[in-house]
Amino acid sequence: MTTQNKPTTNIDHIIYTTPDLQQGIDEIEALFGERPYFGGQHLGKGSHNALLSLGKDVYLEIIAPDPQQPEPESSRSFALDSRSKPQLATWAAATNDMSAIIEQAIQAGYDPGKLTAGGRLTDDGVQLSWQSTRRVEASQGKTPPGDWLIPFVIYWGDTPHPASSKPSQCRLITLEATHPNPASIQQMLSALGLTIQVTQSDQIGLKATLDTPNGRVVLK
């Protein structure tokens, strides 16, 4: 008898939103001692990003509204339209089997959302493509269940992983969260096969601890 392998999930990238991309790049460089590089435009989505590798298969994405694009038809990702200051806003989890992880999550009581196709053109002309989940609330600029502490799920397929394109000296050590009801957050994370420390607090937020050329750094 054969046993089907369970889908795997792990931290793929952490997402730092900022009103201005150049400002975000400068802030991370000052904090980490290493400069993120321009990633590309999300055409039709009204945003652009910069990246910094945090290891072999994990990275930091800095994302901001793109003033060179017209206003998108729908709300920008990660509530960019309503965020007035830079912050560690949310994160993404990579999977090796998108359909299986969606089915697993739904059976456990959490709907990760609609499966969508994404892509962008890198600064050196390489087309990146991926599949990801997106809650309907997020697509409407609203706060999804879990208050942005629950990651969307991404599958890269044959696309080269962004973390491997330009290695850095930075490394993600831990990712933690705070929430008034940590048990509810842990339940949703567990449905996706994920575990991070969630501490009870009146404040909702994420905290990443990293090793950088400037030493141990905390990003919130």
Side-chain angles (χ1 to χ4, degrees):
M1 182 176 69
T2 60
T3 302
Q4 185 177 7
N5 292 330
K6 290 186 64 176
T8 60
T9 48
N10 54 271
I11 298 173
D12 187 78
H13 62 281
I14 57 176
I15 297 165
Y16 189 75
T17 58
T18 178
D20 180 84
L21 186 61
Q22 192 62 53
Q23 174 190 353
I25 291 172
D26 292 343
E27 288 176 347
I28 294 299
E29 181 182 24
L31 188 62
F32 290 7
E34 190 147 4
R35 189 168 182 80
Y37 65 92
F38 180 71
Q41 295 176 299
H42 303 106
L43 295 177
K45 305 296 184 181
S47 60
H48 56 171
N49 68 5
L51 310 178
L52 183 65
S53 175
L54 303 178
K56 182 182 68 173
D57 53 8
V58 62
Y59 66 98
L60 168 69
E61 177 183 18
I62 306 168
I63 187 167
D66 183 0
Q68 296 184 7
Q69 293 187 56
E71 287 294 311
E73 295 181 0
S74 59
S75 299
R76 289 180 175 88
S77 297
F78 317 123
L80 280 173
D81 298 310
S82 60
R83 297 187 188 272
S84 59
K85 61 181 182 179
Q87 68 179 108
L88 185 59
T90 188
W91 57 297
T95 185
N96 63 340
D97 190 332
M98 183 64 87
S99 60
I101 200 65
I102 290 174
E103 181 180 358
Q104 171 186 299
I106 290 174
Q107 288 181 353
Y110 174 68
D111 182 357
K114 182 181 178 181
L115 185 60
T116 63
R120 67 172 174 82
L121 192 65
T122 67
D123 198 32
D124 53 4
V126 177
Q127 179 65 44
L128 301 183
S129 301
W130 60 83
Q131 290 182 318
S132 63
T133 59
R134 194 179 194 195
R135 292 281 309 202
V136 64
E137 298 90 346
S139 64
Q140 296 171 347
K142 301 175 183 178
T143 301
D147 299 300
W148 297 106
L149 303 183
I150 308 303
F152 66 93
V153 183
I154 191 166
Y155 174 67
W156 290 101
D158 295 329
T159 289
H161 195 275
S164 63
S165 61
K166 294 183 181 181
S168 82
Q169 298 179 60
C170 300
R171 294 293 181 269
L172 177 65
I173 306 303
T174 59
L175 180 64
E176 304 168 62
T178 56
H179 193 272
N181 186 359
S184 68
I185 302 301
Q186 291 286 15
Q187 184 177 15
M188 286 182 272
L189 291 172
S190 178
L192 294 169
L194 296 163
T195 303
I196 66 170
Q197 180 176 330
V198 186
T199 304
Q200 186 170 23
S201 171
D202 291 338
Q203 300 296 316
I204 297 171
L206 288 168
K207 179 179 76 173
T209 303
L210 308 103
D211 276 340
T212 75
N214 284 348
R216 186 65 58 93
V217 167
V218 172
L219 184 66
K220 295 182 179 180

Short mmCIF file of all heavy atoms in Angstrom, two decimals, residues 178-212:
data_model
loop_
_atom_site.label_atom_id
_atom_site.label_comp_id
_atom_site.label_asym_id
_atom_site.label_seq_id
_atom_site.Cartn_x
_atom_site.Cartn_y
_atom_site.Cartn_z
N THR A 178 1.97 38.69 17.72
CA THR A 178 1.20 39.00 18.91
C THR A 178 -0.25 39.24 18.50
O THR A 178 -0.52 39.82 17.44
CB THR A 178 1.74 40.24 19.65
OG1 THR A 178 1.78 41.37 18.75
CG2 THR A 178 3.14 39.99 20.18
N HIS A 179 -1.19 38.82 19.37
CA HIS A 179 -2.61 38.95 19.04
C HIS A 179 -3.43 38.78 20.32
O HIS A 179 -3.02 38.02 21.23
CB HIS A 179 -3.02 37.87 18.03
CG HIS A 179 -4.35 38.10 17.40
ND1 HIS A 179 -5.52 37.64 17.96
CD2 HIS A 179 -4.71 38.76 16.26
CE1 HIS A 179 -6.54 38.00 17.19
NE2 HIS A 179 -6.08 38.68 16.16
N PRO A 180 -4.58 39.46 20.44
CA PRO A 180 -5.42 39.29 21.63
C PRO A 180 -5.94 37.87 21.82
O PRO A 180 -6.22 37.45 22.94
CB PRO A 180 -6.58 40.27 21.40
CG PRO A 180 -6.04 41.28 20.45
CD PRO A 180 -5.09 40.53 19.56
N ASN A 181 -6.08 37.11 20.73
CA ASN A 181 -6.59 35.74 20.80
C ASN A 181 -5.61 34.81 20.08
O ASN A 181 -5.86 34.39 18.95
CB ASN A 181 -7.98 35.66 20.17
CG ASN A 181 -8.62 34.29 20.34
OD1 ASN A 181 -8.03 33.37 20.91
ND2 ASN A 181 -9.83 34.13 19.84
N PRO A 182 -4.48 34.50 20.72
CA PRO A 182 -3.47 33.69 20.03
C PRO A 182 -3.94 32.31 19.63
O PRO A 182 -3.48 31.76 18.63
CB PRO A 182 -2.32 33.61 21.05
CG PRO A 182 -2.93 33.96 22.35
CD PRO A 182 -4.06 34.89 22.07
N ALA A 183 -4.89 31.72 20.39
CA ALA A 183 -5.36 30.37 20.05
C ALA A 183 -6.03 30.36 18.68
O ALA A 183 -5.87 29.39 17.92
CB ALA A 183 -6.33 29.88 21.12
N SER A 184 -6.77 31.41 18.34
CA SER A 184 -7.43 31.46 17.04
C SER A 184 -6.41 31.55 15.92
O SER A 184 -6.59 30.97 14.84
CB SER A 184 -8.40 32.64 16.97
OG SER A 184 -7.70 33.88 16.98
N ILE A 185 -5.33 32.29 16.15
CA ILE A 185 -4.27 32.41 15.15
C ILE A 185 -3.55 31.08 14.97
O ILE A 185 -3.30 30.64 13.84
CB ILE A 185 -3.28 33.52 15.56
CG1 ILE A 185 -4.00 34.86 15.71
CG2 ILE A 185 -2.15 33.64 14.54
CD1 ILE A 185 -4.71 35.35 14.48
N GLN A 186 -3.25 30.43 16.09
CA GLN A 186 -2.57 29.13 16.01
C GLN A 186 -3.42 28.10 15.29
O GLN A 186 -2.89 27.26 14.55
CB GLN A 186 -2.23 28.64 17.42
CG GLN A 186 -1.16 29.43 18.13
CD GLN A 186 0.24 29.18 17.60
OE1 GLN A 186 0.41 28.62 16.51
NE2 GLN A 186 1.24 29.61 18.33
N GLN A 187 -4.73 28.16 15.46
CA GLN A 187 -5.61 27.21 14.79
C GLN A 187 -5.54 27.37 13.27
O GLN A 187 -5.48 26.39 12.52
CB GLN A 187 -7.04 27.39 15.29
CG GLN A 187 -8.02 26.37 14.71
CD GLN A 187 -9.42 26.53 15.29
OE1 GLN A 187 -9.74 27.54 15.90
NE2 GLN A 187 -10.24 25.52 15.10
N MET A 188 -5.56 28.61 12.80
CA MET A 188 -5.48 28.87 11.36
C MET A 188 -4.11 28.49 10.81
O MET A 188 -3.99 27.91 9.72
CB MET A 188 -5.81 30.33 11.07
CG MET A 188 -7.28 30.66 11.21
SD MET A 188 -7.70 32.38 10.80
CE MET A 188 -7.46 33.16 12.40
N LEU A 189 -3.05 28.80 11.57
CA LEU A 189 -1.71 28.41 11.14
C LEU A 189 -1.58 26.90 11.05
O LEU A 189 -1.00 26.36 10.09
CB LEU A 189 -0.66 28.97 12.11
CG LEU A 189 -0.46 30.48 12.11
CD1 LEU A 189 0.46 30.89 13.26
CD2 LEU A 189 0.13 30.95 10.79
N SER A 190 -2.11 26.22 12.04
CA SER A 190 -2.04 24.76 12.07
C SER A 190 -2.74 24.15 10.87
O SER A 190 -2.29 23.13 10.32
CB SER A 190 -2.65 24.23 13.37
OG SER A 190 -2.62 22.82 13.40
N ALA A 191 -3.85 24.76 10.44
CA ALA A 191 -4.56 24.26 9.27
C ALA A 191 -3.69 24.29 8.03
O ALA A 191 -3.86 23.47 7.11
CB ALA A 191 -5.83 25.08 9.04
N LEU A 192 -2.74 25.22 8.01
CA LEU A 192 -1.81 25.33 6.88
C LEU A 192 -0.51 24.56 7.11
O LEU A 192 0.41 24.64 6.30
CB LEU A 192 -1.48 26.80 6.62
CG LEU A 192 -2.65 27.67 6.13
CD1 LEU A 192 -2.27 29.15 6.17
CD2 LEU A 192 -3.06 27.27 4.72
N GLY A 193 -0.43 23.85 8.22
CA GLY A 193 0.77 23.09 8.53
C GLY A 193 1.91 23.95 9.02
O GLY A 193 3.09 23.60 8.84
N LEU A 194 1.59 25.09 9.65
CA LEU A 194 2.60 26.06 10.07
C LEU A 194 2.57 26.27 11.57
O LEU A 194 1.53 26.16 12.21
CB LEU A 194 2.36 27.41 9.38
CG LEU A 194 2.49 27.42 7.86
CD1 LEU A 194 1.84 28.66 7.29
CD2 LEU A 194 3.96 27.35 7.45
N THR A 195 3.74 26.60 12.12
CA THR A 195 3.85 26.91 13.54
C THR A 195 4.81 28.08 13.73
O THR A 195 5.96 28.00 13.31
CB THR A 195 4.36 25.71 14.35
OG1 THR A 195 3.50 24.59 14.16
CG2 THR A 195 4.42 26.05 15.83
N ILE A 196 4.33 29.17 14.30
CA ILE A 196 5.21 30.23 14.78
C ILE A 196 4.72 30.60 16.18
O ILE A 196 3.58 30.30 16.55
CB ILE A 196 5.23 31.47 13.87
CG1 ILE A 196 3.87 32.17 13.85
CG2 ILE A 196 5.67 31.13 12.47
CD1 ILE A 196 3.89 33.55 13.17
N GLN A 197 5.56 31.24 16.96
CA GLN A 197 5.15 31.65 18.30
C GLN A 197 4.17 32.81 18.21
O GLN A 197 4.45 33.82 17.55
CB GLN A 197 6.37 32.07 19.12
CG GLN A 197 6.02 32.51 20.53
CD GLN A 197 7.24 32.84 21.37
OE1 GLN A 197 8.31 32.27 21.16
NE2 GLN A 197 7.09 33.75 22.31
N VAL A 198 3.01 32.67 18.86
CA VAL A 198 2.01 33.73 18.91
C VAL A 198 1.74 34.04 20.38
O VAL A 198 1.29 33.17 21.13
CB VAL A 198 0.70 33.34 18.21
CG1 VAL A 198 -0.26 34.53 18.18
CG2 VAL A 198 0.96 32.84 16.79
N THR A 199 2.03 35.26 20.79
CA THR A 199 1.90 35.68 22.19
C THR A 199 0.68 36.56 22.35
O THR A 199 0.37 37.37 21.48
CB THR A 199 3.16 36.45 22.62
OG1 THR A 199 4.32 35.64 22.40
CG2 THR A 199 3.08 36.83 24.10
N GLN A 200 0.01 36.41 23.48
CA GLN A 200 -1.18 37.23 23.74
C GLN A 200 -0.77 38.67 24.03
O GLN A 200 0.12 38.95 24.84
CB GLN A 200 -1.98 36.68 24.91
CG GLN A 200 -3.29 37.41 25.14
CD GLN A 200 -4.18 36.70 26.14
OE1 GLN A 200 -3.71 35.93 26.96
NE2 GLN A 200 -5.48 36.94 26.06
N SER A 201 -1.45 39.59 23.37
CA SER A 201 -1.17 41.02 23.54
C SER A 201 -2.33 41.81 22.97
O SER A 201 -3.03 41.35 22.06
CB SER A 201 0.13 41.41 22.82
OG SER A 201 0.30 42.81 22.80
N ASP A 202 -2.53 43.02 23.50
CA ASP A 202 -3.54 43.91 22.91
C ASP A 202 -3.10 44.40 21.54
O ASP A 202 -3.93 44.82 20.73
CB ASP A 202 -3.78 45.12 23.82
CG ASP A 202 -4.49 44.73 25.11
OD1 ASP A 202 -5.14 43.67 25.13
OD2 ASP A 202 -4.36 45.47 26.10
N GLN A 203 -1.80 44.36 21.29
CA GLN A 203 -1.25 44.81 20.02
C GLN A 203 -1.19 43.64 19.02
O GLN A 203 -0.75 42.55 19.37
CB GLN A 203 0.17 45.38 20.20
CG GLN A 203 0.22 46.58 21.14
CD GLN A 203 -0.55 47.76 20.63
OE1 GLN A 203 -0.47 48.09 19.44
NE2 GLN A 203 -1.30 48.42 21.50
N ILE A 204 -1.64 43.88 17.79
CA ILE A 204 -1.57 42.89 16.72
C ILE A 204 -0.36 43.21 15.86
O ILE A 204 -0.22 44.34 15.37
CB ILE A 204 -2.84 42.90 15.87
CG1 ILE A 204 -4.06 42.52 16.72
CG2 ILE A 204 -2.70 41.96 14.68
CD1 ILE A 204 -5.38 42.73 16.01
N GLY A 205 0.52 42.23 15.68
CA GLY A 205 1.68 42.52 14.85
C GLY A 205 2.61 41.34 14.68
O GLY A 205 2.46 40.29 15.33
N LEU A 206 3.57 41.52 13.78
CA LEU A 206 4.60 40.54 13.51
C LEU A 206 5.96 41.08 13.93
O LEU A 206 6.19 42.31 13.89
CB LEU A 206 4.65 40.20 12.02
CG LEU A 206 3.51 39.36 11.45
CD1 LEU A 206 3.56 39.39 9.92
CD2 LEU A 206 3.57 37.92 11.95
N LYS A 207 6.85 40.19 14.31
CA LYS A 207 8.21 40.57 14.68
C LYS A 207 9.17 39.55 14.08
O LYS A 207 9.05 38.35 14.36
CB LYS A 207 8.37 40.63 16.19
CG LYS A 207 9.78 40.99 16.64
CD LYS A 207 9.89 41.06 18.15
CE LYS A 207 9.93 39.71 18.79
NZ LYS A 207 10.21 39.76 20.25
N ALA A 208 10.10 40.02 13.27
CA ALA A 208 11.12 39.15 12.70
C ALA A 208 12.46 39.47 13.34
O ALA A 208 12.82 40.64 13.47
CB ALA A 208 11.20 39.35 11.19
N THR A 209 13.17 38.45 13.76
CA THR A 209 14.52 38.60 14.29
C THR A 209 15.50 38.08 13.26
O THR A 209 15.33 36.96 12.74
CB THR A 209 14.68 37.85 15.61
OG1 THR A 209 13.70 38.32 16.55
CG2 THR A 209 16.06 38.06 16.19
N LEU A 210 16.51 38.88 12.95
CA LEU A 210 17.43 38.55 11.86
C LEU A 210 18.87 38.76 12.29
O LEU A 210 19.19 39.64 13.11
CB LEU A 210 17.15 39.43 10.64
CG LEU A 210 15.71 39.46 10.14
CD1 LEU A 210 15.03 40.76 10.59
CD2 LEU A 210 15.63 39.32 8.63
N ASP A 211 19.77 37.96 11.72
CA ASP A 211 21.20 38.21 11.79
C ASP A 211 21.60 39.00 10.54
O ASP A 211 21.26 38.60 9.42
CB ASP A 211 21.99 36.91 11.85
CG ASP A 211 22.09 36.36 13.27
OD1 ASP A 211 21.90 37.16 14.22
OD2 ASP A 211 22.36 35.16 13.44
N THR A 212 22.30 40.10 10.73
CA THR A 212 22.66 41.00 9.62
C THR A 212 24.11 41.47 9.79
O THR A 212 24.71 41.25 10.85
CB THR A 212 21.74 42.24 9.62
OG1 THR A 212 22.14 43.13 10.68
CG2 THR A 212 20.27 41.87 9.80
#
